C-alpha cells in the first residue's frame, strides 16, 4: 500500500479559484483556526497547500484546507501552491492526502473515521486493517474499522459529542445495529441525560432485553419509558432525568421484584417502627433471612426502640415477613 | 472387567448422536473399553493424543459434541453431589464416568461449568470400579444413592459402553446401594436385558413436549421417554422423574400440567421412587453462551436474580408459585408420590410443603434413602 509519487509544480493560485464545495479530500474536523492564524501572521505560510486542477478551471484541495481557510480569513487573495500533475489515480491522491496529514498532526476520532471511509473503496479490508489502522493508533481489528464506519454514518450533529466523549463508538455501533430507526433519538437521549459509557450500554442492553421478552417493537416501548413531559421539563436536572429513565428501565426489567419492593416498603410503613429502626429484606427476597437494624446515640434510645419492636411483636406485626 | 460385543451396534441407529471423530488419549490405548469402542466405531476417523496436556484445536461447541474423546480420569471418581450451603441437597453420590454429552440442550449448565471440549468418556474402568469398590466398602453400613448423571447423561452412551451392566455387577453385593440413572434418552435396550432391577432407579428428566423439541436437541421426545419408562416399569425397575429444569414462560402452566397428566397416564405412580422439582437456574456465564449459540431461545429472557449460590434464579415468589402448582398437579394425577425440591432453600420448602426437611422431620437425604 505504498503511495505512488505525485508529480507537483509550483503555482500562484487566486483563492477565489478554489472549489470549496468539493470535499473529496476533506477530513479535518473540530480544529479551530486560532493558532494557525497566529502562526501565519507571525511567520507566514510555511507549508504550501497541494491542489489539483479541475477541468472547469477551479482547483480541488488535496491538502491544506485549513491553511487556505486561514488565508481567506486573513484577507489574502492568492497563495503559492503545489499543483498535482493531471492523471494521478484517485487512490494515490487519497494516500497522498493521508500520508501528508499523518506527517503533520494526530487525528481525532472523527477524522480517523473519515480517513478510513475515504480509503475504504480503494483498498482491501485486510490492507486497511494491517497497514492503516496501526498508523491511526487503532488496533488492527475489524470491530474498530466497523465502529469508525458507524461514526461517519451518524448525523454530523452528534460528532461534537463523540469528540467530547459523551457518545461512544461501541454505543453508536449498538444503536445502529439494534435500533437503526431510533438511532438519532437514542443518541440525543444519551446526550440529554449525560450518561457515561456504562450507563448507556446498560440502557441499550435493557431495551434489547425488554424487546425480546415482550416481543413488542421499540416504538411500542419507548413512549412509556421516555415520558416526554419529564425529559422536556427544564425543572429537572439531566441527572434526575437519567435516574428517572433508569428507574423506569428497572421496573420494566424486574416487574415482580420492583412490585415486591413496593409492597415490602408499604408493609414496613404500616408496622410503625420508629425512625431509628430499619427492617431490611433478604437480597432480592431470596431465602428467608430479614435484618432488623437499630441505630442509636444514647442508651435510652435503644430501650425506646426495643419497646416499640416489642409492641409490634406482641401484635404479630412481623409474622408476615418470612 | 470384560466387555462383550453386542451383535448389532444400536448406537448407529441414533443418527443424532453419531460422532464424527474419535480422539484417543494414548494412555487410554490399552483399555478394553477403548478397544471395544474403536472396533464398534471403526468407520470413524481416529486421532491419537500423545501429550500429557494436549492443546486441542479451537472448535465450536456444536462440533465439539461430535467428537468422542476416550481418556483416563485421574482424580476422585466417586464424590458427593456439589451442593451449596444455602440450598438443601439430596446428598447423593456421583460416579464420575464421563463429561458432556452428545445431546445439545440450549440451557445445559455444563456449557458454562466445563471448559473442556468433546464428549469425554473415561475408559479407565478398572480404576473407576476400584474406587467405587473402596467407597462402597468404606460406607457399607450406609444407604448409598449413586448417580452417573451429574456431568453427562447416564444412558446415552450406554449402547456403546454397556456400562450399566458392569455397574450392576459391582453394586450387586451391596444391599444398601442403589444407582439412579438419569437420562433424556430412550437408550434402555441394555437395561432390559439385565436382571436385578431393584438395584437401579431409572430416571427421566421431563419437560413439555414442545419445549423438548425446541430446546433439547438430540434428546428423545417426551413420548419416547415415557414409552421407555413404561418398558422399564414393566421390567420391574423403579422410576424417577425430574422436572428439572422447569421453565417459566407464557403458557407454562398448561404445558406442564399436561406433561404431568401424560406422565401419570403412562406410568403407575406406585412404581415411582421419587419426583424432583427444580426451577431453571444458571451460572451467569451461561447467558452469553446461550445468546451466542441459541439466539432464538427465549428461556434466558425472563426475570432472574442473582441467588445466594451465585446462580441466576427466578425470584423466590415465582419459584414457590411454580412448585406449588406442580405439586398440586402431581397430587391430582399421581397421588402420593414422594416429591422433593432439588437445591432449594428452606423458605421455599416451608412455603411449598409446609415443612423443612431436617427440622423436626427426616432430612432430605433420609427421605430419599428411605425409598431405597
Amino acid at each position: 500500500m505504498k503511495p505512488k509519487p505525485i508529480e507537483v509544480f509550483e503555482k500562484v493560485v487566486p483563492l477565489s479559484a478554489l472549489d470549496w464545495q468539493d470535499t473529496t479530500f476533506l477530513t479535518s474536523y473540530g480544529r479551530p483556526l486560532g493558532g494557525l492564524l497566529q502562526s501565519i501572521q507571525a511567520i507566514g505560510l510555511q507549508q504550501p497547500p497541494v491542489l489539483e486542477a479541475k477541468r472547469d478551471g477551479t482547483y480541488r484541495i488535496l491538502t491544506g484546507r485549513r491553511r487556505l481557510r486561514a488565508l481567506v480569513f486573513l484577507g489574502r487573495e492568492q497563495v503559492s501552491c503545489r499543483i498535482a500533475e493531471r492523471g494521478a489515480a484517485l487512490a494515490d491522491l487519497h494516500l497522498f492526502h493521508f500520508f501528508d496529514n499523518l506527517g503533520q498532526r494526530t487525528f481525532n476520532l472523527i477524522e480517523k473515521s473519515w480517513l478510513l471511509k475515504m480509503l475504504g473503496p480503494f483498498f482491501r479490508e485486510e490492507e486497511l486493517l494491517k497497514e492503516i489502522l496501526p498508523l491511526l493508533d487503532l488496533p488492527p481489528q475489524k470491530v474498530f474499522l466497523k465502529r469508525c464506519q458507524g461514526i461517519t454514518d451518524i448525523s454530523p450533529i452528534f460528532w461534537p459529542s463523540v469528540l467530547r466523549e459523551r457518545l461512544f463508538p461501541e454505543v453508536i455501533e449498538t444503536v445502529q445495529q439494534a435500533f437503526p430507526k431510533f438511532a438519532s433519538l437514542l443518541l440525543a437521549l444519551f446526550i440529554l441525560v449525560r450518561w457515561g459509557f456504562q450507563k448507556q450500554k446498560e440502557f441499550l442492553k435493557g431495551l434489547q432485553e425488554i424487546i425480546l421478552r415482550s416481543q413488542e417493537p421499540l416504538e411500542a416501548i419507548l413512549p412509556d419509558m421516555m415520558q416526554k413531559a419529564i425529559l422536556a421539563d427544564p425543572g429537572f436536572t439531566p441527572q434526575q432525568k437519567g435516574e428517572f429513565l433508569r428507574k423506569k428501565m428497572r421496573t420494566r426489567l424486574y416487574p415482580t421484584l420492583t412490585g415486591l419492593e413496593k409492597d415490602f416498603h408499604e408493609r414496613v410503613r404500616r408496622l410503625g417502627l420508629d425512625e431509628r429502626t430499619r427492617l431490611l429484606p433478604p437480597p432480592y427476597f431470596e431465602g428467608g433471612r430479614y435484618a432488623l437494624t437499630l441505630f442509636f446515640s444514647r442508651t435510652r434510645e435503644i430501650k425506646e426502640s426495643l419497646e416499640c419492636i416489642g409492641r409490634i411483636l406482641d401484635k404479630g406485626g412481623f409474622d408476615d415477613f418470612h | 472387567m470384560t466387555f462383550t460385543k453386542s451383535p448389532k451396534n444400536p448406537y448407529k441407529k441414533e443418527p443424532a448422536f453419531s460422532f464424527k471423530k474419535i480422539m484417543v488419549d494414548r494412555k487410554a490405548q490399552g483399555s478394553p473399553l477403548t478397544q471395544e469402542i474403536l472396533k464398534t466405531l471403526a468407520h470413524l476417523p481416529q486421532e491419537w493424543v500423545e501429550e500429557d496436556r494436549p492443546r486441542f484445536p479451537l472448535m465450536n461447541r456444536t462440533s465439539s459434541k461430535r467428537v468422542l474423546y476416550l481418556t483416563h480420569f485421574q482424580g476422585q471418581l466417586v464424590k458427593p453431589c456439589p451442593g451449596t450451603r444455602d440450598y438443601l441437597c439430596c446428598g447423593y453420590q456421583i460416579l464420575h464416568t464421563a463429561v458432556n454429552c452428545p445431546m445439545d440442550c440450549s440451557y445445559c449448565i455444563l456449557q458454562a461449568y466445563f471448559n473442556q471440549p468433546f464428549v469425554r468418556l473415561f475408559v479407565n474402568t478398572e480404576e473407576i470400579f476400584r474406587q467405587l469398590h473402596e467407597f462402597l466398602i468404606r460406607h457399607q453400613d450406609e444407604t448409598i444413592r449413586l448417580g452417573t448423571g451429574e456431568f453427562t447423561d447416564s444412558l446415552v452412551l450406554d449402547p456403546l459402553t454397556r456400562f450399566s451392566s458392569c455397574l450392576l455387577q459391582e453394586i450387586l453385593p451391596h444391599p444398601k446401594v442403589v444407582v439412579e440413572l438419569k437420562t433424556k434418552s430412550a437408550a434402555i435396550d441394555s437395561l432390559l436385558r439385565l436382571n436385578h432391577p431393584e438395584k437401579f432407579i431409572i430416571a427421566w428428566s421431563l419437560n413439555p413436549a414442545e419445549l423438548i423439541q425446541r430446546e433439547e436437541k438430540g434428546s428423545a421426545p417426551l413420548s419416547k421417554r415415557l414409552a421407555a419408562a413404561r418398558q422399564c416399569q414393566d421390567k420391574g425397575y423403579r422410576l424417577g422423574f425430574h422436572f428439572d429444569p422447569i421453565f417459566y414462560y407464557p403458557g407454562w402452566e398448561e404445558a406442564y400440567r399436561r406433561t404431568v397428566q401424560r406422565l401419570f397416564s403412562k406410568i403407575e405412580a406406585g412404581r415411582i421412587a421419587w419426583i424432583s422439582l427444580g426451577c431453571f437456574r444458571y451460572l451467569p456465564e451461561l447467558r452469553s453462551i446461550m445468546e451466542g449459540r441459541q439466539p432464538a431461545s427465549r428461556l434466558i429472557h425472563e426475570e432472574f436474580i442473582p441467588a445466594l449460590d451465585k446462580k441466576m434464579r427466578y425470584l423466590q415468589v415465582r419459584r414457590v408459585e411454580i412448585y406449588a402448582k406442580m405439586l398440586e398437579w402431581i397430587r391430582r394425577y399421581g397421588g402420593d408420590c414422594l416429591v422433593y425440591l432439588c437445591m432449594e432453600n428452606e423458605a421455599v420448602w416451608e412455603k411449598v410443603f409446609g415443612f423443612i426437611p431436617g427440622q423436626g422431620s427426616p432430612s432430605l437425604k433420609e427421605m430419599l434413602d428411605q425409598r431405597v
Side-chain angles (χ1 to χ4, degrees):
Chain A
M1 206 181 200
K2 279 192 177 169
K4 285 184 190 154
I6 305 285
E7 296 294 326
V8 293
F9 59 90
E10 303 275 339
K11 187 178 180 184
V12 174
V13 174
L15 288 170
S16 59
L18 298 177
D19 183 356
W20 293 98
Q21 304 305 314
D22 189 332
T23 55
T24 312
F25 299 100
L26 169 62
T27 50
S28 135
Y29 178 80
R31 297 179 181 277
L33 290 177
L36 184 58
L37 288 171
Q38 285 181 339
S39 165
I40 293 172
Q41 278 177 318
I43 59 170
L45 187 65
Q46 295 298 301
Q47 187 79 14
V50 182
L51 309 177
E52 186 193 21
K54 295 174 79 171
R55 294 194 186 283
D56 63 1
T58 61
Y59 292 88
R60 172 185 286 152
I61 304 164
L62 273 182
T63 69
R65 182 176 280 263
R66 286 180 68 241
R67 279 165 276 163
L68 291 165
R69 272 179 56 213
L71 292 173
V72 171
F73 192 83
L74 292 171
R76 309 283 169 85
E77 291 185 348
Q78 56 184 34
V79 60
S80 177
C81 294
R82 289 180 184 160
I83 311 295
E85 293 283 4
R86 282 216 178 119
L90 198 53
D92 291 325
L93 292 173
H94 275 293
L95 277 182
F96 178 85
H97 168 85
F98 171 67
F99 282 105
D100 181 82
N101 278 285
L102 186 69
Q104 295 181 42
R105 61 189 172 101
T106 55
F107 302 104
N108 63 42
L109 193 52
I110 304 293
E111 292 170 333
K112 288 177 188 180
S113 302
W114 269 108
L115 280 165
L116 289 169
K117 189 180 173 82
M118 285 178 169
L119 295 173
F122 303 104
F123 302 98
R124 285 183 291 119
E125 188 178 86
E126 184 89 356
E127 290 175 312
L128 291 177
L129 289 173
K130 279 191 180 162
E131 298 180 39
I132 300 296
L133 264 71
L135 293 174
L136 295 172
D137 287 330
L138 293 171
Q141 293 166 16
K142 268 187 190 179
V143 63
F144 292 98
L145 184 60
K146 213 163 159 236
R147 283 178 191 165
C148 284
Q149 285 164 352
I151 289 171
T152 57
D153 290 344
I154 58 171
S155 163
I157 59 168
F158 295 115
W159 292 348
S161 297
V162 174
L163 288 189
R164 285 204 298 270
E165 297 191 346
R166 289 271 170 82
L167 292 175
F168 305 88
E170 194 183 328
V171 168
I172 293 168
E173 183 190 30
T174 309
V175 163
Q176 286 170 327
Q177 278 175 6
F179 313 110
K181 269 167 68 183
F182 296 90
S184 293
L185 177 69
L186 289 168
L187 295 179
L189 182 70
F190 293 154
I191 295 168
L192 174 74
V193 296
R194 297 189 191 168
W195 277 342
F197 173 67
Q198 209 54 41
K199 284 184 181 171
Q200 292 183 15
K201 224 173 115 180
E202 273 173 25
F203 187 80
L204 292 175
K205 218 174 157 196
L207 278 185
Q208 287 170 307
E209 179 69 16
I210 290 169
I211 289 169
L212 281 168
R213 282 193 208 167
S214 66
Q215 297 292 302
E216 287 179 305
L218 186 60
E219 44 268 59
I221 294 165
L222 271 184
D224 171 56
M225 293 283 301
M226 292 186 52
Q227 300 267 320
K228 275 185 197 161
I230 291 177
L231 292 178
D233 189 337
F236 292 108
T237 64
Q239 287 74 18
Q240 286 174 317
K241 290 174 184 174
E243 273 318 294
F244 165 80
L245 267 181
R246 281 167 63 81
K247 211 173 159 185
K248 271 274 175 194
M249 172 65 76
R250 189 169 182 272
T251 310
R252 283 297 299 255
L253 283 176
Y254 301 101
T256 316
L257 179 64
T258 47
L260 286 172
E261 286 167 347
K262 204 173 158 191
D263 174 61
F264 175 79
H265 291 308
E266 178 54 30
R267 284 188 296 147
V268 170
R269 192 190 61 74
R270 283 202 304 265
L271 271 186
L273 287 166
D274 65 24
E275 60 193 14
R276 289 186 294 270
T277 312
R278 304 256 168 85
L279 180 60
L280 298 172
Y284 302 100
F285 297 91
E286 177 70 15
R289 191 164 293 178
Y290 288 75
L292 197 62
T293 311
L294 201 155
F295 299 87
F296 67 95
S297 314
R298 298 179 201 83
T299 316
R300 178 174 54 78
E301 291 174 351
I302 304 177
K303 202 176 164 218
E304 286 169 5
S305 293
L306 288 177
E307 280 170 3
C308 176
I309 292 168
R311 283 194 296 278
I312 296 168
L313 263 178
D314 291 342
K315 284 191 274 181
F318 290 107
D319 293 354
D320 286 346
F321 291 94
H322 61 77
Chain B
M1 197 60 56
T2 56
F3 293 88
T4 51
K5 190 166 182 176
S6 58
K8 284 183 196 167
N9 174 15
Y11 193 75
K12 282 181 184 166
K13 288 184 199 165
E14 301 286 349
F17 307 150
S18 56
F19 291 109
K20 299 269 189 251
K21 181 178 168 182
I22 300 186
M23 291 174 76
V24 190
D25 181 346
R26 186 62 80 182
K27 289 194 291 291
Q29 184 180 9
S31 153
L33 183 54
T34 300
Q35 295 307 317
E36 179 68 19
I37 291 172
L38 289 180
K39 264 189 240 165
T40 311
L41 300 179
H43 59 289
L44 293 182
Q46 296 170 8
E47 186 179 320
W48 293 84
V49 179
E50 308 286 349
E51 300 91 346
D52 276 347
R53 290 185 178 181
R55 295 178 73 177
F56 295 112
L58 208 59
M59 196 180 273
N60 69 33
R61 284 185 167 83
T62 310
S63 308
S64 183
K65 279 180 171 285
R66 295 286 159 261
V67 178
L68 177 64
Y69 182 38
L70 308 178
T71 185
H72 283 184
F73 185 77
Q74 308 288 3
Q76 196 183 341
L77 288 152
V78 187
K79 46 193 161 190
C81 178
T84 44
R85 201 187 59 183
D86 298 289
Y87 298 88
L88 300 183
C89 178
C90 68
Y92 97 133
Q93 302 290 331
I94 297 166
L95 181 62
H96 200 30
T97 59
V99 168
N100 297 330
C101 89
M103 292 183 262
D104 200 0
C105 300
S106 65
Y107 56 79
C108 178
I109 198 164
L110 297 182
Q111 298 174 99
Y113 204 73
F114 291 117
N115 58 6
Q116 299 167 323
F118 318 133
V119 176
R120 293 174 172 237
L121 180 65
F122 305 131
V123 291
N124 49 334
T125 42
E126 287 191 9
E127 176 61 12
I128 292 173
F129 287 113
R130 188 190 64 74
Q131 287 196 26
L132 176 61
H133 182 75
E134 280 178 9
F135 176 84
L136 295 179
I137 295 294
R138 221 167 36 243
H139 299 272
Q140 57 186 338
D141 296 329
E142 299 168 32
T143 300
I144 300 291
R145 282 173 293 109
L146 200 63
T148 54
E150 185 76 6
F151 302 127
T152 187
D153 185 281
S154 294
L155 288 177
V156 72
L157 295 178
D158 208 44
L160 199 59
T161 64
R162 287 182 299 288
F163 190 78
S164 52
S165 68
C166 305
L167 192 53
L168 176 63
Q169 292 168 38
E170 187 57 47
I171 60 168
L172 203 51
H174 302 275
K176 295 178 86 172
V177 176
V178 70
V179 174
E180 183 178 21
L181 299 171
K182 288 186 192 174
T183 189
K184 284 177 183 156
S185 78
I188 53 158
D189 290 0
S190 56
L191 293 176
L192 297 180
R193 289 194 291 269
L194 297 180
N195 294 319
H196 304 286
E198 73 282 1
K199 298 305 290 177
F200 286 114
I201 290 171
I202 319 298
W204 275 267
S205 171
L206 296 183
N207 256 316
E210 57 277 15
L211 197 139
I212 289 175
Q213 196 185 1
R214 210 174 53 233
E215 307 286 347
E216 298 179 358
K217 279 183 205 146
S219 72
L222 180 64
S223 55
K224 282 198 176 172
R225 290 185 208 181
L226 292 178
R230 177 60 186 248
Q231 282 182 282
C232 287
Q233 172 192 284
D234 294 345
K235 173 75 184 174
Y237 288 106
R238 280 176 302 158
L239 309 174
F241 293 97
H242 299 281
F243 286 96
D244 191 354
I246 303 171
F247 294 95
Y248 179 82
Y249 56 91
W252 77 273
E253 286 176 273
E254 184 52 20
Y256 278 94
R257 188 196 60 73
R258 269 192 281 112
T259 310
V260 173
Q261 192 177 22
R262 271 184 82 174
L263 165 64
F264 288 107
S265 68
K266 195 89 181 170
I267 302 297
E268 277 174 40
R271 297 300 304 162
I272 297 175
W274 49 63
I275 295 176
S276 80
L277 306 176
C279 284
F280 178 49
R281 61 256 183 219
Y282 64 92
L283 293 167
E285 297 84 337
L286 184 69
R287 190 180 176 93
S288 55
I289 295 171
M290 277 185 77
E291 284 171 344
R293 292 196 70 211
Q294 317 285 350
S297 174
R298 292 285 165 267
L299 301 179
I300 210 89
H301 302 295
E302 270 299 332
E303 190 176 358
F304 291 99
I305 50 107
L308 303 169
D309 56 358
K310 313 282 183 228
K311 285 181 187 160
M312 303 302 289
R313 289 174 179 255
Y314 298 127
L315 275 157
Q316 188 167 295
V317 284
R318 174 81 67 230
R319 304 203 306 273
V320 168
E321 175 200 348
I322 291 170
Y323 295 139
K325 285 187 175 156
M326 289 295 288
L327 187 62
E328 183 200 325
W329 298 323
I330 291 169
R331 295 282 176 257
R332 186 192 304 171
Y333 299 114
D336 218 14
C337 299
L338 172 62
V339 180
Y340 72 94
L341 303 178
C342 182
M343 299 307 290
E344 267 303 350
N345 67 44
E346 293 181 351
V348 172
W349 267 93
E350 191 169 27
K351 285 185 165 75
V352 176
F353 290 100
F355 72 94
I356 300 168
Q359 295 187 15
S361 63
S363 69
L364 178 54
K365 181 179 183 314
E366 287 164 345
M367 282 164 62
L368 298 176
D369 286 350
Q370 283 167 12
R371 304 286 294 181
V372 170

mmCIF file of all heavy atoms in Angstrom, chain A residues 20-37:
data_model
loop_
_atom_site.group_PDB
_atom_site.id
_atom_site.type_symbol
_atom_site.label_atom_id
_atom_site.label_comp_id
_atom_site.label_asym_id
_atom_site.label_seq_id
_atom_site.Cartn_x
_atom_site.Cartn_y
_atom_site.Cartn_z
ATOM 1 N N TRP A 20 -14.467 25.204 -2.990
ATOM 2 C CA TRP A 20 -14.666 24.859 -1.564
ATOM 3 C C TRP A 20 -15.731 23.785 -1.380
ATOM 4 O O TRP A 20 -15.782 23.118 -0.364
ATOM 5 C CB TRP A 20 -15.061 26.113 -0.759
ATOM 6 C CG TRP A 20 -13.953 27.114 -0.678
ATOM 7 C CD1 TRP A 20 -13.798 28.214 -1.451
ATOM 8 C CD2 TRP A 20 -12.844 27.089 0.219
ATOM 9 N NE1 TRP A 20 -12.647 28.913 -1.104
ATOM 10 C CE2 TRP A 20 -12.045 28.227 -0.074
ATOM 11 C CE3 TRP A 20 -12.425 26.229 1.229
ATOM 12 C CZ2 TRP A 20 -10.869 28.523 0.615
ATOM 13 C CZ3 TRP A 20 -11.264 26.527 1.919
ATOM 14 C CH2 TRP A 20 -10.493 27.656 1.609
ATOM 15 N N GLN A 21 -16.616 23.669 -2.371
ATOM 16 C CA GLN A 21 -17.700 22.675 -2.248
ATOM 17 C C GLN A 21 -17.193 21.247 -2.461
ATOM 18 O O GLN A 21 -17.865 20.297 -2.081
ATOM 19 C CB GLN A 21 -18.804 22.953 -3.298
ATOM 20 C CG GLN A 21 -19.388 24.351 -3.242
ATOM 21 C CD GLN A 21 -19.928 24.697 -1.871
ATOM 22 O OE1 GLN A 21 -20.622 23.899 -1.267
ATOM 23 N NE2 GLN A 21 -19.575 25.869 -1.363
ATOM 24 N N ASP A 22 -16.062 21.140 -3.086
ATOM 25 C CA ASP A 22 -15.522 19.803 -3.359
ATOM 26 C C ASP A 22 -14.841 19.272 -2.088
ATOM 27 O O ASP A 22 -13.773 19.741 -1.699
ATOM 28 C CB ASP A 22 -14.508 19.892 -4.509
ATOM 29 C CG ASP A 22 -14.068 18.520 -4.982
ATOM 30 O OD1 ASP A 22 -14.091 17.576 -4.148
ATOM 31 O OD2 ASP A 22 -13.708 18.383 -6.164
ATOM 32 N N THR A 23 -15.508 18.296 -1.475
ATOM 33 C CA THR A 23 -14.989 17.793 -0.192
ATOM 34 C C THR A 23 -14.354 16.412 -0.336
ATOM 35 O O THR A 23 -14.252 15.659 0.626
ATOM 36 C CB THR A 23 -16.120 17.727 0.852
ATOM 37 O OG1 THR A 23 -17.181 16.923 0.302
ATOM 38 C CG2 THR A 23 -16.652 19.103 1.200
ATOM 39 N N THR A 24 -13.945 16.096 -1.577
ATOM 40 C CA THR A 24 -13.360 14.761 -1.804
ATOM 41 C C THR A 24 -12.236 14.469 -0.811
ATOM 42 O O THR A 24 -12.093 13.350 -0.334
ATOM 43 C CB THR A 24 -12.796 14.673 -3.245
ATOM 44 O OG1 THR A 24 -13.777 15.174 -4.143
ATOM 45 C CG2 THR A 24 -12.440 13.242 -3.602
ATOM 46 N N PHE A 25 -11.459 15.478 -0.489
ATOM 47 C CA PHE A 25 -10.317 15.244 0.405
ATOM 48 C C PHE A 25 -10.462 16.014 1.721
ATOM 49 O O PHE A 25 -9.471 16.453 2.303
ATOM 50 C CB PHE A 25 -9.012 15.629 -0.306
ATOM 51 C CG PHE A 25 -8.779 14.827 -1.547
ATOM 52 C CD1 PHE A 25 -9.056 15.338 -2.804
ATOM 53 C CD2 PHE A 25 -8.306 13.523 -1.452
ATOM 54 C CE1 PHE A 25 -8.861 14.585 -3.950
ATOM 55 C CE2 PHE A 25 -8.107 12.756 -2.597
ATOM 56 C CZ PHE A 25 -8.390 13.283 -3.853
ATOM 57 N N LEU A 26 -11.691 16.159 2.172
ATOM 58 C CA LEU A 26 -11.903 16.863 3.446
ATOM 59 C C LEU A 26 -11.940 15.847 4.583
ATOM 60 O O LEU A 26 -12.801 14.967 4.630
ATOM 61 C CB LEU A 26 -13.227 17.638 3.414
ATOM 62 C CG LEU A 26 -13.712 18.206 4.755
ATOM 63 C CD1 LEU A 26 -12.717 19.222 5.312
ATOM 64 C CD2 LEU A 26 -15.081 18.865 4.616
ATOM 65 N N THR A 27 -10.982 15.942 5.479
ATOM 66 C CA THR A 27 -11.012 15.059 6.650
ATOM 67 C C THR A 27 -10.849 15.839 7.947
ATOM 68 O O THR A 27 -11.108 15.297 9.015
ATOM 69 C CB THR A 27 -9.880 14.001 6.599
ATOM 70 O OG1 THR A 27 -8.662 14.668 6.330
ATOM 71 C CG2 THR A 27 -10.169 12.944 5.571
ATOM 72 N N SER A 28 -10.427 17.068 7.851
ATOM 73 C CA SER A 28 -10.171 17.800 9.084
ATOM 74 C C SER A 28 -11.498 18.179 9.750
ATOM 75 O O SER A 28 -12.438 18.624 9.102
ATOM 76 C CB SER A 28 -9.297 19.003 8.737
ATOM 77 O OG SER A 28 -9.750 20.130 9.343
ATOM 78 N N TYR A 29 -11.579 17.922 11.053
ATOM 79 C CA TYR A 29 -12.829 18.193 11.766
ATOM 80 C C TYR A 29 -12.522 18.645 13.197
ATOM 81 O O TYR A 29 -11.651 18.069 13.864
ATOM 82 C CB TYR A 29 -13.718 16.941 11.820
ATOM 83 C CG TYR A 29 -14.992 17.190 12.601
ATOM 84 C CD1 TYR A 29 -16.079 17.845 12.013
ATOM 85 C CD2 TYR A 29 -15.082 16.832 13.946
ATOM 86 C CE1 TYR A 29 -17.217 18.117 12.738
ATOM 87 C CE2 TYR A 29 -16.228 17.096 14.677
ATOM 88 C CZ TYR A 29 -17.293 17.745 14.078
ATOM 89 O OH TYR A 29 -18.410 18.022 14.796
ATOM 90 N N GLY A 30 -13.248 19.657 13.611
ATOM 91 C CA GLY A 30 -13.169 20.066 15.020
ATOM 92 C C GLY A 30 -11.864 20.739 15.386
ATOM 93 O O GLY A 30 -11.392 20.595 16.508
ATOM 94 N N ARG A 31 -11.254 21.447 14.429
ATOM 95 C CA ARG A 31 -9.981 22.120 14.734
ATOM 96 C C ARG A 31 -10.143 23.620 14.505
ATOM 97 O O ARG A 31 -10.219 24.059 13.352
ATOM 98 C CB ARG A 31 -8.861 21.593 13.834
ATOM 99 C CG ARG A 31 -8.582 20.135 14.057
ATOM 100 C CD ARG A 31 -7.505 19.615 13.151
ATOM 101 N NE ARG A 31 -7.330 18.202 13.414
ATOM 102 C CZ ARG A 31 -6.592 17.728 14.406
ATOM 103 N NH1 ARG A 31 -5.932 18.561 15.187
ATOM 104 N NH2 ARG A 31 -6.503 16.431 14.594
ATOM 105 N N PRO A 32 -10.186 24.393 15.568
ATOM 106 C CA PRO A 32 -10.319 25.841 15.388
ATOM 107 C C PRO A 32 -9.083 26.435 14.695
ATOM 108 O O PRO A 32 -7.992 25.860 14.760
ATOM 109 C CB PRO A 32 -10.454 26.378 16.817
ATOM 110 C CG PRO A 32 -10.262 25.228 17.736
ATOM 111 C CD PRO A 32 -10.112 23.972 16.945
ATOM 112 N N LEU A 33 -9.270 27.570 14.061
ATOM 113 C CA LEU A 33 -8.184 28.166 13.269
ATOM 114 C C LEU A 33 -7.241 29.043 14.101
ATOM 115 O O LEU A 33 -6.180 29.428 13.612
ATOM 116 C CB LEU A 33 -8.784 29.022 12.142
ATOM 117 C CG LEU A 33 -9.489 28.281 11.011
ATOM 118 C CD1 LEU A 33 -10.074 29.293 10.019
ATOM 119 C CD2 LEU A 33 -8.530 27.354 10.297
ATOM 120 N N GLY A 34 -7.652 29.330 15.343
ATOM 121 C CA GLY A 34 -6.951 30.331 16.143
ATOM 122 C C GLY A 34 -5.431 30.280 16.070
ATOM 123 O O GLY A 34 -4.763 31.227 15.638
ATOM 124 N N GLY A 35 -4.852 29.152 16.425
ATOM 125 C CA GLY A 35 -3.390 29.015 16.467
ATOM 126 C C GLY A 35 -2.778 29.177 15.099
ATOM 127 O O GLY A 35 -1.732 29.815 14.930
ATOM 128 N N LEU A 36 -3.440 28.598 14.113
ATOM 129 C CA LEU A 36 -2.913 28.647 12.744
ATOM 130 C C LEU A 36 -2.883 30.089 12.220
ATOM 131 O O LEU A 36 -1.916 30.515 11.575
ATOM 132 C CB LEU A 36 -3.788 27.758 11.850
ATOM 133 C CG LEU A 36 -3.358 27.584 10.409
ATOM 134 C CD1 LEU A 36 -1.954 27.003 10.298
ATOM 135 C CD2 LEU A 36 -4.345 26.682 9.655
ATOM 136 N N LEU A 37 -3.938 30.831 12.547
ATOM 137 C CA LEU A 37 -3.989 32.242 12.119
ATOM 138 C C LEU A 37 -2.795 33.014 12.678
ATOM 139 O O LEU A 37 -2.110 33.749 11.963
ATOM 140 C CB LEU A 37 -5.294 32.898 12.597
ATOM 141 C CG LEU A 37 -6.584 32.467 11.887
ATOM 142 C CD1 LEU A 37 -7.803 33.024 12.624
ATOM 143 C CD2 LEU A 37 -6.579 32.954 10.443
#
